[in-house]
Amino acid sequence: MSRHPEVKWAQRIDKVYITVQLPDAKDAKVNLEPDGVFTFSGSAGTNLYELKLDLNDKVNVEASKISVGVRSIFCIVEKAEAKWWKKLVRDDQRAPHFVKVDWDKWVDEDDDGADVNLDGMDFSNFGGMGGMGGMGDMAGLGGLGGMGGMGMDDFEDDSDEEEVSKPQAAGHAAEAEKTESAEAKTESAQSS
């Protein structure tokens, strides 16, 4: 009897990220069909793991990619039609209990734009996804880099706060502290 591995998923408008969490997987096989049927089988230790997911819509098998790592199997499934899916599996199905949202990769529909950082992932091993050799053109994915255009000049200074005074020499610091303390006491007495 086989078990089900934990599966995490996230999406962008044009792709779905599926991660099968199975440390030390042996003989991992992933199959993806154009009508959206995703199957996985593999073993870890003495246990056999299998799963079958009827994805929400059709997918582009040729453009999809897989990376088998030490701790997980990471799949980038390209959607046939660029649109947001309400859920991972078809509308007439309920997501299995072992399928969870991958909050590390998730973005909301209105925030779509940044891809997942794929540095260090080897997409040369395509197991059972037939005819999907090589990494394709992934040179443009690179790292996410910093958030350009977020300099301090983007913010206007409308505050009414007092300006911070310059640091004073050590000898004058104690004298300035006494003066500030006396001024605070005077203000406190005047306000009451």
Side-chain angles (χ1 to χ4, degrees):
M1 185 169 134
S2 64
R3 298 178 177 202
H4 298 291
E6 180 178 337
V7 176
K8 291 186 176 183
W9 80 286
Q11 71 173 317
R12 300 296 184 274
I13 194 164
D14 59 341
K15 63 185 67 106
V16 175
Y17 300 113
I18 299 176
T19 306
V20 179
Q21 303 278 21
L22 190 60
D24 303 320
K26 304 281 188 242
D27 303 318
K29 293 182 182 125
V30 175
N31 190 33
L32 184 63
E33 297 175 17
D35 62 345
V37 177
F38 177 90
T39 57
F40 168 81
S41 67
S43 61
T46 59
N47 298 315
L48 176 64
Y49 292 85
E50 295 179 321
L51 70 93
K52 179 182 175 186
L53 298 172
D54 292 322
L55 301 179
N56 194 306
D57 207 349
K58 294 179 181 178
V59 296
N60 183 345
V61 176
E62 291 79 29
S64 298
K65 299 171 178 61
I66 182 174
S67 173
V68 178
V70 177
R71 309 216 44 67
S72 62
I73 294 85
F74 181 66
C75 306
I76 301 175
V77 178
E78 294 288 333
K79 297 176 182 176
E81 185 180 337
K83 66 178 183 180
W84 282 91
W85 293 354
K86 292 182 181 175
K87 58 185 190 170
L88 180 63
V89 294
R90 294 208 166 100
D91 289 333
D92 60 338
Q93 296 180 0
R94 187 171 175 199
H97 69 284
F98 54 86
V99 175
K100 298 174 176 28
V101 172
D102 190 344
W103 294 112
D104 293 333
K105 294 178 181 75
W106 189 266
V107 294
D108 288 329
E109 186 174 351
D110 54 348
D111 293 338
D112 192 13
D115 266 338
V116 172
N117 186 353
L118 301 174
D119 290 342
M121 290 206 182
D122 177 20
F123 288 96
S124 63
N125 182 1
F126 286 94
M129 290 184 79
M132 295 178 50
M135 238 171 101
D137 184 23
M138 294 194 52
L141 291 179
L144 294 176
M147 293 179 61
M150 291 295 291
M152 290 305 290
D153 53 31
D154 292 345
F155 300 101
E156 294 183 26
D157 187 15
D158 293 335
S159 66
D160 293 330
E161 296 178 16
E162 297 178 25
E163 291 200 301
V164 178
S165 60
K166 295 181 182 178
Q168 299 174 350
H172 298 291
E175 187 177 316
E177 206 170 284
K178 288 179 186 175
T179 305
E180 287 177 355
S181 176
E183 288 174 358
K185 287 180 184 175
T186 304
E187 285 179 357
S188 175
Q190 290 176 349
S191 62
S192 31

